[in-house]
Amino acid sequence: ICLDIADLRKDSFVGPKLEWYKDKMKFVHGDSSRPETLAVVKEILGGRKLDALFIDGDHSFNGLLKDYGLFSPLVRVGGLIGFHNCLMANMPGHPPGPVDEPELLGSRTFWKALETNYPQRCELIDVEAGPWGNYGVGVYTVQTEDNR
C-alpha cells in the first residue's frame, strides 16, 4: 500500500515509474492524519497486518506522532517500523534544537525519543550524505502488541 497526500500516479516523473506496480500495489491518495484515510487503508488490509510500515510524512514531530499513532497498530508483531529523515544532520540553516525545532527536524527529534524508549530494538541506518547532509533511516522491530 502506498499512501501519499499527492496522487503520485498523476505525477509526470513518478507516475510512469509506478506503472509496473499497478497490479502489485494499492495506491491511496489522502492525508495520513485523517481518520477516513486510515479507514481506507484498513479496508484494503481486510484485517491483515502489515509486515512493514515506512513513515515519511510531513517530518514535523506532531505529524510523525499522529502517523505513528494511527498506523503503527496495523503492523504485526515481528514487523518493522521505519522512519525517514531521522538523522537530519548538517542541514544548512537548520541547526539541531529542542522539540520545537524547525519542521524538517521533527523526524530526528521523534526518532531520538523513540530510540530512548526502545534502545535495544532500534537501528539507525546512516545513508550517504546528500547535498543537504545526512538524512538517515531509523528502523525498529515490533516486539509485542504493547511496544508500538
Side-chain angles (χ1 to χ4, degrees):
I1 300 171
C2 177
L3 166 61
D4 202 298
I5 200 161
D7 190 347
L8 297 176
R9 294 167 297 180
K10 294 180 180 176
D11 183 275
S12 63
F13 178 73
V14 177
K17 292 169 179 49
L18 296 177
E19 186 64 23
W20 187 83
Y21 296 100
K22 71 180 179 186
D23 297 326
K24 297 167 182 46
M25 289 179 81
K26 298 288 185 191
F27 294 92
V28 177
H29 174 216
D31 184 340
S32 60
S33 68
R34 311 271 309 172
E36 54 268 25
T37 304
L38 175 63
V40 170
V41 171
K42 284 182 171 181
E43 184 178 328
I44 292 169
L45 288 172
R48 295 171 295 167
K49 293 281 192 171
L50 295 169
D51 292 322
L53 171 68
F54 188 73
I55 299 175
D56 183 18
D58 70 3
H59 302 110
S60 71
F61 184 87
N62 289 332
L64 276 164
L65 189 60
K66 180 94 174 188
D67 285 348
Y68 181 74
L70 288 173
F71 291 93
S72 66
L74 302 179
V75 180
R76 68 172 176 81
V77 172
L80 302 174
I81 299 179
F83 303 89
H84 191 234
N85 294 347
C86 61
L87 244 180
M88 298 300 282
N90 307 317
M91 289 187 68
H94 295 286
V99 171
D100 62 347
E101 61 198 346
E103 184 176 303
L104 289 177
L105 294 179
S107 297
R108 183 179 55 76
T109 304
F110 186 84
W111 174 253
K112 286 296 180 193
L114 188 69
E115 187 179 42
T116 300
N117 292 330
Y118 305 108
Q120 74 281 13
R121 298 180 190 124
C122 298
E123 180 180 358
L124 182 67
I125 302 168
D126 187 4
V127 296
E128 188 174 322
W132 293 95
N134 291 325
Y135 296 105
V137 173
V139 179
Y140 86 93
T141 302
V142 176
Q143 299 291 319
T144 68
E145 289 291 333
D146 297 329
N147 103 304
R148 286 187 256 285

